[in-house]
């Protein structure tokens, strides 16, 4: 019988974290299960930083459905199996502190830990599960790249924000006869870029799954100009690369193996400059950045997050651990964490889908690719 559960939010924040937390707490309360927030992701497990969550009149889990961020914080770089420790003399060591976290879980009496996060978070969840901890994952990321599920929470909101940006770039681009480039997030997958391009009526979408030829993009823009269209809108995923070229990286962090140390960014500027040179038209880049992660979730994400949260608690009540709640064929389901993380030993291998990572990228026969091509969106090839 489940009596006490902990919820942790880990990785980059998304709109919908709080909606999932609220749904877990509400479902738990209906079954007399006590809920605690584990503060700042896996860090909270190590530091025993737990906070009671409740939807009582004076509780902290009420009124949070529309709130962005996470009321229990999050951490982007905490891998307890290879944890960064800075010693007093400033030297850095990486230690496996997972046993300490497990001792804390036992001492506090958690019957199950819910891990809200992307592939890195779920890999740690799988590793805790292997060591005997009862874990249930919930797939979060704006990137939509978690394996075994058709959609992650936070993704729809990110696409909606990018779409709105494209609508605004259209009017300023048309007024000044410019090429307007929008760089969006998504890591090694092009989901945000491609869906936003379709929703926002862009002319070009450059995605990591299809290395691009900048001359082909320039030709597309030239052809538009010949047809009397003096502006163009180009969406570039942060992980897009030219044919035979490298990723554009803003910086590399030193947080050890098992977390994504590569900070992508800058490709939008590169593409805008090249298109200006090739076409003679003025080009401007906008990097959308963290706008895609902040603020209130869309209706879609509120519903999806609520479905995920309730399903996660149902699995816990059924004592089905070591699983991730997923959407499969449009319906709520679950998959084993082993299937989700595959043989993912290193997160953020620079090229995405390697033998060591299990990210879900866009397949070439995806309806989105066909739809984009049918309406003449240039994919850089
Ligand atoms: O994975 C989510 C995401 O927002 C990516 O789209 C982006 O590349 C990355 O996180 C940014 O990470 P950070 O918060 O560490 O800057």
């Amino acid at each position: 019988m489940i009596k006490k559960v902990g919820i942790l939010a880990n990785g980059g924040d998304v709109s919908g974290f709080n909606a999932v937390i609220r749904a877990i707490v509400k479902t738990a309360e209906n079954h007399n299960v006590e809920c605690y927030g584990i503060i700042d992701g896996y860090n909270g497990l190590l530091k025993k930083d737990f906070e009671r969550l409740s939807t009582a009149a004076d509780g902290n889990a009420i009124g949070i459905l529309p709130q962005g961020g996470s009321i229990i914080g999050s951490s982007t770089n905490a891998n307890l199996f290879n944890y960064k420790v800075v010693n007093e003399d400033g030297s850095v060591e990486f230690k496996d502190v997972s046993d300490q976290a497990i001792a804390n879980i036992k001492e506090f009496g958690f019957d199950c830990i819910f891990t809200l996060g992307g592939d890195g978070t779920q890999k740690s969840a799988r590793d805790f599960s292997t060591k005997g901890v009862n874990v249930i994952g919930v797939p979060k990321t704006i990137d939509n790249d978690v394996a075994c599920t058709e959609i992650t929470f936070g993704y729809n909101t990110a696409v909606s924000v990018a779409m709105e940006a494209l609508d605004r770039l259209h009017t300023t681009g048309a007024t000044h006869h410019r090429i307007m480039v929008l760089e969006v997030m998504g890591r090694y997958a092009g989901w945000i870029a491609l869906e936003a391009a379709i929703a926002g009526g862009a002319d070009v979408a450059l995605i990591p799954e299809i290395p691009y030829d900048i001359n082909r993009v320039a030709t597309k823009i030239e052809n538009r100009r010949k047809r009397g269209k003096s502006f163009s809108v180009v969406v570039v995923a942060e992980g897009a690369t030219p044919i035979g070229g490298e990723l554009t990286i803003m910086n590399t962090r030193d947080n050890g193996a098992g977390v994504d140390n590569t900070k992508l960014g800058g490709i939008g500027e590169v593409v805008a400059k090249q298109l200006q040179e090739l076409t003679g038209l003025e080009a401007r880049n906008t990097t959308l950045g963290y706008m895609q992660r902040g603020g209130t979730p869309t209706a879609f994400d509120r519903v999806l997050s609520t479905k995920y949260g309730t399903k996660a608690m149902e699995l816990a009540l059924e004592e089905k651990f070591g699983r991730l709640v997923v959407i499969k064929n449009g319906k709520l389901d679950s998959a084993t964490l082993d299937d989700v993380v595959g043989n993912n030993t290193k997160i953020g291998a620079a090229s995405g889908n390697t033998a060591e990572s299990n990210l879900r990228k866009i397949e070439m026969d995806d309806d989105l690719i066909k739809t984009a091509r049918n309406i003449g969106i240039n994919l850089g090839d």
Side-chain angles (χ1 to χ4, degrees), residues 206-262:
L206 304 182
I207 58 174
E209 291 85 345
I210 304 179
Y212 65 85
D213 176 345
I214 198 69
N215 293 304
R216 299 232 164 117
V217 179
T219 303
K220 161 81 183 176
I221 291 169
E222 288 292 351
N223 288 341
R224 277 176 56 80
R225 182 157 58 174
K226 283 182 197 150
R227 290 167 57 210
K229 296 176 177 179
S230 64
F231 76 99
S232 291
V233 174
V234 176
V235 184
V236 183
E238 63 181 359
T241 57
I243 294 170
E246 298 291 317
L247 285 164
T248 306
I249 288 169
M250 194 170 278
N251 57 55
T252 306
R253 294 176 282 224
D254 176 25
N255 289 312
V259 294
D260 191 349
N261 283 309
T262 309

Side-chain angles (χ1 to χ4, degrees), residues 129-189:
S129 174
T130 305
K131 289 183 101 170
V133 179
N134 295 336
V135 183
I136 292 168
V138 185
K140 166 244 56 164
T141 169
I142 64 166
D143 306 334
N144 204 31
D145 61 359
V146 176
C148 301
T149 188
E150 282 154 23
I151 193 156
T152 55
F153 71 89
Y155 167 65
N156 180 266
T157 306
V159 171
S160 301
V161 170
M163 178 195 74
E164 196 196 327
L166 288 171
D167 288 349
R168 292 176 188 277
L169 292 175
H170 258 98
T171 58
T172 169
T175 304
H176 294 287
H177 316 294
R178 284 173 171 161
I179 300 167
M180 302 305 290
V181 176
L182 180 70
E183 180 184 312
V184 297
M185 286 184 166
R187 256 195 332 163
Y188 310 108

Side-chain angles (χ1 to χ4, degrees), residues 332-378:
L332 274 175
D333 206 328
S334 69
T336 68
L337 284 170
D338 266 332
D339 282 346
V340 172
V341 302
N343 50 9
N344 188 350
T345 54
K346 270 189 203 158
I347 305 304
S351 57
N353 276 347
T354 66
E356 293 178 323
S357 89
N358 201 31
L359 300 180
R360 192 177 76 97
K361 300 172 88 174
I362 308 176
E363 303 283 343
M364 285 309 106
D365 62 352
D366 194 290
D367 287 344
L368 287 175
I369 298 273
K370 292 187 215 159
T371 302
R373 291 202 195 280
N374 278 336
I375 57 166
I377 296 179
N378 179 282

Side-chain angles (χ1 to χ4, degrees), residues 28-315:
E29 286 176 349
N30 279 339
H31 292 87
N32 299 317
V33 174
E34 267 180 39
C35 273
Y36 287 79
I38 297 164
I39 305 304
D40 292 343
Y42 285 114
N43 287 318
L45 267 189
L46 189 63
K47 296 175 183 159
K48 290 199 265 185
D49 196 355
F50 310 135
E51 191 177 310
R52 182 74 205 270
L53 297 171
S54 134
T55 64
D58 59 350
N60 49 6
I62 53 167
I64 61 170
L65 178 63
Q67 266 180 36
S70 157
I71 60 163
I72 55 174
S74 186
S75 164
T76 44
N77 296 314
N79 174 15
L80 300 185
F81 292 85
N82 192 40
Y83 196 67
K84 186 176 186 175
V85 181
V86 183
N87 298 316
E88 274 177 15
D89 64 0
S91 60
V92 171
E93 269 183 281
F94 288 92
K95 289 183 179 164
D96 181 347
V97 291
S98 58
D99 285 340
Q100 181 58 54
I102 292 171
N104 295 344
I105 291 169
K106 285 192 182 142
E107 184 194 317
F108 201 70
F110 283 132
D111 299 309
C112 175
I113 305 290
F114 296 100
T115 54
L116 282 45
D119 59 330
T121 305
Q122 304 312 341
K123 176 175 182 299
S124 283
R126 191 274 308 269
D127 294 346
F128 275 115
S129 174
T130 305
K131 289 183 101 170
V133 179
N134 295 336
V135 183
I136 292 168
V138 185
K140 166 244 56 164
T141 169
I142 64 166
D143 306 334
N144 204 31
D145 61 359
V146 176
C148 301
T149 188
E150 282 154 23
I151 193 156
T152 55
F153 71 89
Y155 167 65
N156 180 266
T157 306
V159 171
S160 301
V161 170
M163 178 195 74
E164 196 196 327
L166 288 171
D167 288 349
R168 292 176 188 277
L169 292 175
H170 258 98
T171 58
T172 169
T175 304
H176 294 287
H177 316 294
R178 284 173 171 161
I179 300 167
M180 302 305 290
V181 176
L182 180 70
E183 180 184 312
V184 297
M185 286 184 166
R187 256 195 332 163
Y188 310 108
W191 296 104
I192 299 176
L194 191 52
E195 280 217 356
I198 294 170
D203 308 297
V204 177
L206 304 182
I207 58 174
E209 291 85 345
I210 304 179
Y212 65 85
D213 176 345
I214 198 69
N215 293 304
R216 299 232 164 117
V217 179
T219 303
K220 161 81 183 176
I221 291 169
E222 288 292 351
N223 288 341
R224 277 176 56 80
R225 182 157 58 174
K226 283 182 197 150
R227 290 167 57 210
K229 296 176 177 179
S230 64
F231 76 99
S232 291
V233 174
V234 176
V235 184
V236 183
E238 63 181 359
T241 57
I243 294 170
E246 298 291 317
L247 285 164
T248 306
I249 288 169
M250 194 170 278
N251 57 55
T252 306
R253 294 176 282 224
D254 176 25
N255 289 312
V259 294
D260 191 349
N261 283 309
T262 309
K263 172 82 188 102
L264 298 173
I267 187 68
E269 282 294 344
V270 173
V271 165
K273 193 165 172 281
Q274 289 178 332
L275 289 177
Q276 180 161 308
E277 280 163 14
L278 288 169
T279 64
L281 287 168
E282 262 192 323
R284 294 283 189 273
N285 172 62
T286 302
T287 301
L288 197 51
Y290 298 89
M291 300 281 290
Q292 293 157 97
R293 298 188 349 193
T296 194
T298 56
F300 183 94
D301 263 330
R302 293 183 196 194
V303 174
L304 179 66
S305 301
T306 305
K307 283 160 80 176
Y308 272 155
T310 55
K311 175 73 179 176
M313 191 62 220
E314 271 179 19
L315 284 179

